[in-house]
Amino acid sequence: MHTKQKLSLMPGWTTEILINAPQAKVWQKVTDFANYKNWNPFVLDAKADFEEGRKINFLEDLQHFGQHWLSAKFLAIEAPCSFIWEGYLGVPFL
Protein backbone atom coordinates (compact mmCIF):
# COMPACT_ATOMS: atom_id res chain seq x y z
CA MET A 1 0.00 0.00 0.00
CA HIS A 2 1.37 3.41 -0.94
CA THR A 3 1.90 6.01 1.80
CA LYS A 4 -0.66 8.42 0.36
CA GLN A 5 -3.23 5.63 0.50
CA LYS A 6 -2.31 4.96 4.14
CA LEU A 7 -2.69 8.62 4.95
CA SER A 8 -6.11 8.81 3.37
CA LEU A 9 -7.30 5.88 5.50
CA MET A 10 -6.08 7.35 8.79
CA PRO A 11 -8.39 9.62 10.76
CA GLY A 12 -7.18 13.12 11.55
CA TRP A 13 -5.08 15.57 9.65
CA THR A 14 -2.95 14.95 6.63
CA THR A 15 -0.35 17.19 5.09
CA GLU A 16 1.27 17.33 1.69
CA ILE A 17 3.87 19.91 0.71
CA LEU A 18 5.56 20.22 -2.67
CA ILE A 19 9.17 21.45 -2.45
CA ASN A 20 11.20 22.42 -5.49
CA ALA A 21 14.48 20.74 -4.46
CA PRO A 22 16.22 17.41 -4.96
CA GLN A 23 14.51 14.63 -3.00
CA ALA A 24 17.73 13.58 -1.23
CA LYS A 25 18.35 17.10 0.05
CA VAL A 26 14.77 17.46 1.36
CA TRP A 27 14.94 14.04 3.05
CA GLN A 28 18.23 14.99 4.71
CA LYS A 29 16.68 18.19 6.14
CA VAL A 30 13.37 16.74 7.36
CA THR A 31 15.04 13.78 9.05
CA ASP A 32 17.72 15.89 10.79
CA PHE A 33 15.59 16.29 13.91
CA ALA A 34 18.38 17.86 16.00
CA ASN A 35 18.37 20.83 13.62
CA TYR A 36 14.61 21.45 13.50
CA LYS A 37 15.20 24.37 15.87
CA ASN A 38 17.23 26.08 13.13
CA TRP A 39 14.38 26.28 10.63
CA ASN A 40 11.11 25.65 12.48
CA PRO A 41 10.07 28.66 14.57
CA PHE A 42 7.91 26.52 16.88
CA VAL A 43 10.48 23.83 17.73
CA LEU A 44 13.11 24.58 20.38
CA ASP A 45 14.43 21.01 20.51
CA ALA A 46 13.69 17.66 18.86
CA LYS A 47 15.03 14.21 19.67
CA ALA A 48 14.17 11.06 17.77
CA ASP A 49 14.98 7.40 17.31
CA PHE A 50 14.15 7.35 13.61
CA GLU A 51 12.66 3.85 13.36
CA GLU A 52 9.10 2.61 12.95
CA GLY A 53 7.48 2.17 16.35
CA ARG A 54 9.97 4.51 18.06
CA LYS A 55 9.32 7.98 19.44
CA ILE A 56 10.14 11.55 18.60
CA ASN A 57 9.98 14.24 21.25
CA PHE A 58 9.63 17.95 20.53
CA LEU A 59 10.01 20.92 22.82
CA GLU A 60 7.62 23.36 21.21
CA ASP A 61 7.13 27.01 21.97
CA LEU A 62 3.48 27.64 21.22
CA GLN A 63 3.42 31.36 21.91
CA HIS A 64 -0.10 31.48 23.32
CA PHE A 65 0.25 28.25 25.28
CA GLY A 66 3.89 28.29 26.42
CA GLN A 67 6.56 25.66 26.03
CA HIS A 68 5.57 22.00 26.05
CA TRP A 69 7.23 18.67 25.33
CA LEU A 70 5.20 16.71 22.79
CA SER A 71 5.73 13.08 21.94
CA ALA A 72 4.86 11.21 18.76
CA LYS A 73 5.41 7.69 17.44
CA PHE A 74 6.72 6.83 13.98
CA LEU A 75 4.06 4.69 12.29
CA ALA A 76 5.76 4.26 8.91
CA ILE A 77 9.03 5.24 7.27
CA GLU A 78 9.51 4.94 3.53
CA ALA A 79 12.95 6.41 2.89
CA PRO A 80 13.60 8.65 1.06
CA CYS A 81 9.98 9.53 0.34
CA SER A 82 7.90 9.84 3.47
CA PHE A 83 7.37 9.16 7.12
CA ILE A 84 4.19 9.15 9.18
CA TRP A 85 3.95 9.88 12.86
CA GLU A 86 1.11 10.07 15.30
CA GLY A 87 1.12 12.25 18.36
CA TYR A 88 -1.17 14.20 20.59
CA LEU A 89 -1.32 17.80 21.71
CA GLY A 90 -2.33 17.32 25.32
CA VAL A 91 -5.26 14.97 24.72
CA PRO A 92 -5.83 12.20 22.15
CA PHE A 93 -8.50 14.03 20.15
CA LEU A 94 -6.08 16.90 19.24
Side-chain angles (χ1 to χ4, degrees), residues 68-89:
H68 302 278
W69 277 100
L70 303 174
S71 183
K73 179 179 172 182
F74 291 105
L75 301 179
I77 299 172
E78 294 181 16
C81 300
S82 65
F83 58 90
I84 301 169
W85 66 43
E86 177 180 54
Y88 303 106
L89 182 59

Side-chain angles (χ1 to χ4, degrees), residues 26-39 46 83:
V26 173
W27 185 255
Q28 179 185 9
K29 291 289 184 188
V30 300
T31 59
D32 183 4
F33 302 105
N35 281 306
Y36 268 36
K37 62 187 172 204
N38 295 326
W39 59 268
F83 58 90

Side-chain angles (χ1 to χ4, degrees), residues 41-52:
F42 302 107
V43 175
L44 301 177
D45 196 8
K47 297 177 177 140
D49 292 321
F50 192 49
E51 296 178 34
E52 286 185 26

Side-chain angles (χ1 to χ4, degrees), residues 1 3-5 10 15 28 30 36 38 50-51 53-54 57 60 68 72-73 79 84 91:
M1 180 179 283
T3 300
K4 286 186 180 183
Q5 291 170 327
M10 296 172 64
T15 301
Q28 179 185 9
V30 300
Y36 268 36
N38 295 326
F50 192 49
E51 296 178 34
R54 302 297 300 254
N57 296 296
E60 293 197 337
H68 302 278
K73 179 179 172 182
I84 301 169
V91 292

